[in-house]
Amino acid sequence: MRLLLVEDDDHVAAALAAVLSRHGFDVAHARSGEEALRALLPDTGPPFAVVLLDLGLPDQDGFEVCGRIRRYSATPVIMVTARADTRSKIHGLNLGADDYVVKPYDTGELLARIHAVARRTPVGRGTGTVPGPEGPPALRLGPLTIELPNRQVSVGGTDIPLTRKEFDLLALLAQRPGVVFRREQIISEVWRTSWEGTGRTLEVHIASLRAKLRMPSLIETVRGVGYKIVVPAA
């Protein structure tokens, strides 16, 4: 089983990699978020079964790395960190982490958790390109075009001015058409906070997007769960 260990402390990484190797894992080590994202590109070798992700990385927070991974890949992610507070756990899981393990941990428990998430996800499912912070150059859904690098949106060739949060919300939903995003996950990724007291803000932004885009059926409300993009008919 191929595993990606994302850990900036070489001593910690070496000790854990030695244990994992003894248990049959083929371990690749990434010391930063960008190095991890490059390692997950589909042309760098066989797909990884699991990613072990530390949160305290030198170039960017592990939460951001997890969010970027989850937008383009279904590879299971286990956050392994010293952050033991409940808010961090909830935030990590809402971003799409499959599990959250607090340091110091029992090695046997960590191995069991790795095998558990690997069993739930066939290797290679959902893997795809993991681009830089800007993502792919553009997303096109029917008449809607979202240019990610310059943060511009147009419908039928007409530019639609959006606020920063409106754009971030639309881009998040549009990168996985048809996939239902839970309200808690959207709040975590777009507003970088927890759900408490933010639900009304999300509803207002959804209503504003529908009105500005003049495509009321583009963003569908999944009652009791969240929202998803419905690809417009050609």
Side-chain angles (χ1 to χ4, degrees):
M1 186 186 299
R2 195 164 183 244
L3 183 147
L4 178 61
L5 173 59
V6 189
E7 168 64 63
D8 66 322
D9 189 317
D10 286 342
H11 296 291
V12 172
L16 181 54
V19 172
L20 293 170
S21 296
R22 288 199 298 269
H23 285 82
F25 291 95
D26 177 11
V27 182
H29 177 208
R31 296 173 177 82
S32 68
E34 287 300 328
E35 189 177 344
L37 291 165
R38 287 195 298 270
L40 287 165
L41 290 170
D43 58 353
T44 57
F48 291 99
V50 178
V51 176
L52 295 184
L53 177 64
D54 183 37
L55 296 182
L57 300 173
D59 58 340
Q60 57 192 294
D61 192 86
F63 287 134
E64 181 180 349
V65 177
C66 181
R68 289 172 63 184
I69 292 173
R70 194 49 72 232
R71 289 173 189 172
Y72 303 98
S73 172
T75 304
V77 175
I78 301 177
M79 292 183 173
V80 183
T81 175
R83 302 182 197 178
D85 61 288
T86 302
R87 183 179 293 271
S88 291
K89 292 180 183 178
I90 293 172
H91 185 44
L93 295 171
N94 281 338
L95 283 173
D98 296 83
D99 206 344
Y100 192 104
V101 178
V102 177
K103 300 175 181 178
Y105 49 80
D106 178 81
T107 303
E109 180 184 356
L110 177 63
L111 289 167
R113 289 174 181 264
I114 292 171
H115 284 292
V117 299
R119 282 196 300 269
R120 295 198 298 264
T121 309
V123 174
R125 188 198 74 184
T127 56
T129 57
V130 184
E134 302 87 358
L139 301 171
R140 292 182 175 84
L141 302 172
L144 173 67
T145 299
I146 305 170
E147 298 180 25
L148 298 178
N150 55 15
R151 301 176 65 85
Q152 292 185 346
V153 173
S154 62
V155 176
T158 301
D159 290 341
I160 308 295
L162 300 180
T163 67
R164 187 169 71 89
K165 290 301 183 186
E166 287 170 350
F167 180 89
D168 290 345
L169 172 57
L170 178 63
L172 173 66
L173 297 176
Q175 287 176 44
R176 300 180 71 188
V179 173
V180 179
F181 285 79
R182 291 178 295 111
R183 291 182 175 87
E184 296 86 352
Q185 180 183 358
I186 296 171
I187 292 295
S188 287
E189 294 207 31
V190 176
W191 278 268
R192 300 294 177 184
T193 186
S194 58
W195 169 254
E196 293 87 353
T198 324
R200 180 57 182 164
T201 299
L202 173 57
E203 293 172 0
V204 168
H205 279 72
I206 291 289
S208 178
L209 278 174
R210 287 168 172 160
K212 288 184 176 182
L213 298 174
R214 297 183 179 180
M215 300 173 67
S217 61
L218 176 72
I219 303 175
E220 180 179 311
T221 302
V222 181
R223 190 173 301 277
V225 183
Y227 300 93
K228 69 176 180 179
I229 288 282
V230 177
V231 179

